[in-house]
Amino acid sequence: MRVLLTGATGFIGQHLHRALLAEGHEVVACSRRRPDLPCLDFFPCDFAHDLSHEVWLSRLSGVDAVINAVGIIREGSGQRFNALHTLAPKALFGACAQKGITRVIQISALGADEQAETAYHLSKREADDFLAKQPLDWLILRPSLVYGPGSTSSELFAGLAALPLTPLIGDGQQPVQPIHIDDLVKAVLTALTSKSPSRQRIDCVGPRALSFQYWLNGWRKWLGKATAPSMRVPFSLAQSGVRVCAPFSRLPVDAESLQMLQRGNTAPVEPFTRAFGITPQSFEHSIQQTPASPAERQQAGLFFLWPLLRLSLAFMWIWTGLTSALWYPVDESYQMLGAVGLSGVALPFALYTAALLDTLLGLALLLNYRLRLVLLTQVAMVLGYSLILTFCLPEFWLHPFGPISKNLPLIAASLMLYVREGDAQ
């Protein structure tokens, strides 16, 4: 079949793309960037803006089936639940009805039902309800936590499990029923066949419910670590903490995520098994069959150190800027600037301009604003400062506090974050 796949570069989308090609289907990919995997055609699309039927009609020419795998777990800059989960999918589904597409599969979320409370679940449910009213051969799949290679949430859980203390929300007994990405992909491939169910909403879950504590301990076992002591965090304190940290973090967790965890994320597995003839693999089986590689263990250990590195660099730049402008004796600053050849009105201009730049760069790092550009700018500024001091104040190389030599690890740290940011895009 010729399948239009939205969200082709996301976690679920990439796995679906690979499996569709393996089954001999032709993939028309829709995503913000071109996928690495081959495709029959590619349409650059952005669900934040592609909100009208007309945008989608030309993309649907010659298409036999549509799979919508677009989704975000938390809102960010330019990405809102209402647009990505509701308005753009409704425009796509409306265009499918106008074009008479044979099959439409919507990847929704477990919890997008009558009891939905969070903006995430409500936005998914609105699109599901709209699709259910269309004269289409539709199927809505509502997966629980989906884990497997390439999953951002799996990286988060492995990072939590790698900590010396296992953090729990309350007593850690919140029920989850995770499904492996391979089982979800098998269900979608089956859904493309004539033997699959139609015009149904099917919850996609693992074989049994697990407690959140058991889930994290399982990730720790996957990393080859012994069970660690737990640290219980009251739910209200955890919610307050993520609200405070949200503007400075891009971790796939926020106050709504904790609310969804607290509600529980489970469903009977039998409807899924009957619909697709699949017995989903257990979490224990999957981690036993594919133990963590050395690179995955290293990634888990570094998971929370990367943001710590970014925040420490942000603090350094902000503190340097504020200290230069407000607290360090101005006469001593002018004396150092004079040693590099500045005088007169150039002294305050250079001092306060540099202080302002330092502070702005630190704030940009803190708020995750255009990180790659900011990090390269920081590297250029540190190199510039170091070269100026080397030529004008070479004795600083012999200073016991290392005002120049300390710039070398700062440059290295900035370049590490630059590479890391590129890999995350």
Side-chain angles (χ1 to χ4, degrees):
M1 300 176 71
R2 181 171 296 181
V3 181
L4 184 136
L5 174 63
T6 66
T9 56
F11 163 55
I12 294 176
Q14 288 186 65
H15 283 268
L16 286 174
H17 193 161
R18 188 176 296 107
L20 289 168
L21 293 176
E23 290 290 316
H25 298 293
E26 297 176 330
V27 176
V28 177
C30 285
S31 52
R32 287 187 294 173
R33 61 176 176 84
R34 191 178 188 89
D36 297 327
L37 294 168
C39 53
L40 177 70
D41 205 350
F42 167 67
F43 293 105
C45 70
D46 187 343
F47 267 42
H49 304 290
D50 297 349
L51 308 180
S52 66
H53 294 184
E54 292 74 19
V55 172
W56 291 101
L57 289 174
S58 61
R59 299 169 179 171
L60 294 171
S61 296
V63 167
D64 302 310
V66 169
I67 302 173
N68 177 35
V70 170
I72 55 172
I73 192 62
R74 58 171 289 191
E75 294 184 324
S77 176
Q79 295 189 315
R80 296 290 181 266
F81 291 142
N82 187 46
L84 273 68
H85 291 173
T86 305
L87 298 180
K90 287 168 73 172
L92 171 60
F93 301 151
C96 288
Q98 191 171 334
K99 279 282 190 177
I101 299 300
T102 304
R103 187 66 154 154
V104 177
I105 301 172
Q106 157 82 334
I107 309 295
S108 183
L110 187 64
D113 51 28
E114 293 75 14
Q115 285 75 46
E117 297 177 346
T118 64
Y120 171 82
H121 280 145
L122 290 170
S123 64
K124 286 281 191 179
R125 189 184 73 183
E126 186 174 343
D128 296 350
D129 291 344
F130 179 85
L131 176 58
K133 295 175 183 176
Q134 302 306 304
L136 295 168
D137 183 20
W138 56 265
L139 186 66
I140 296 169
L141 302 181
R142 301 191 297 201
S144 176
L145 283 170
V146 184
Y147 67 98
S151 165
T152 303
S153 59
S154 294
E155 292 176 1
L156 169 64
F157 295 128
L160 289 169
L163 295 173
L165 294 175
T166 302
L168 302 177
I169 308 300
D171 61 5
Q173 297 307 301
Q174 299 87 354
V176 296
Q177 200 167 347
I179 183 170
H180 195 276
I181 183 63
D182 290 349
D183 295 321
L184 179 60
V185 167
K186 289 176 187 175
V188 174
L189 293 177
T190 303
L192 290 175
T193 69
S194 58
K195 299 178 182 179
S196 66
S198 178
R199 301 182 68 82
Q200 295 182 35
R201 307 184 198 212
I202 300 176
D203 295 332
C204 306
V205 295
R208 65 185 183 91
L210 315 171
S211 71
F212 185 67
Q213 182 176 19
Y214 184 91
W215 169 244
L216 286 185
N217 286 338
W219 282 104
R220 193 166 176 87
K221 185 182 297 183
W222 178 71
L223 294 171
K225 296 178 178 290
T227 302
S230 60
M231 176 181 63
R232 297 188 176 189
V233 181
F235 177 72
S236 58
L237 179 60
Q239 274 207 316
S240 300
V242 295
R243 285 196 180 100
V244 171
C245 296
F248 318 117
S249 167
R250 289 189 298 181
L251 296 177
V253 62
D254 59 8
E256 280 205 343
S257 304
L258 296 184
Q259 186 178 342
M260 290 186 284
L261 173 66
Q262 196 73 357
R263 170 189 166 178
N265 202 248
T266 63
V269 71
E270 290 78 16
F272 175 77
T273 301
R274 283 196 303 268
F276 302 110
I278 299 170
T279 301
Q281 59 184 295
S282 68
F283 177 56
E284 296 87 350
H285 174 78
S286 65
I287 62 175
Q288 184 179 8
Q289 292 299 306
T290 56
S293 66
E296 288 170 326
R297 289 196 292 270
Q298 183 183 68
Q299 183 181 29
L302 290 171
F303 187 83
F304 289 104
L305 293 180
W306 287 115
L308 180 61
L309 177 59
R310 175 179 58 82
L311 293 173
S312 63
L313 285 175
F315 172 79
M316 183 207 71
W317 283 100
I318 294 171
W319 186 254
T320 300
L322 294 178
T323 300
S324 299
L326 302 176
W327 303 309
Y328 194 77
V330 174
D331 290 342
E332 293 189 28
S333 296
Y334 285 170
Q335 184 178 352
M336 283 190 288
L337 290 171
V340 301
L342 298 180
S343 61
V345 70
L347 293 173
F349 178 80
L351 173 62
Y352 293 107
T353 299
L356 178 62
L357 282 174
D358 288 354
T359 305
L360 291 177
L361 287 173
L363 289 173
L365 259 186
L366 183 67
L367 299 173
N368 290 295
Y369 177 75
R370 303 189 69 175
L371 282 184
R372 282 169 69 83
L373 176 61
V374 168
L375 288 164
L376 283 182
T377 303
Q378 290 180 357
V379 169
M381 287 183 63
V382 173
L383 281 173
Y385 290 156
S386 300
L387 289 173
I388 290 172
L389 290 174
T390 295
F391 284 106
C392 299
L393 296 168
E395 64 272 17
F396 274 22
W397 276 103
L398 302 177
H399 195 287
F401 290 168
I404 303 179
S405 58
K406 284 179 180 176
N407 288 341
L408 299 178
L410 287 178
I411 292 172
S414 297
L415 291 175
M416 288 171 63
L417 283 174
Y418 177 84
V419 173
R420 165 77 174 174
E421 179 64 16
D423 290 340
Q425 290 181 348

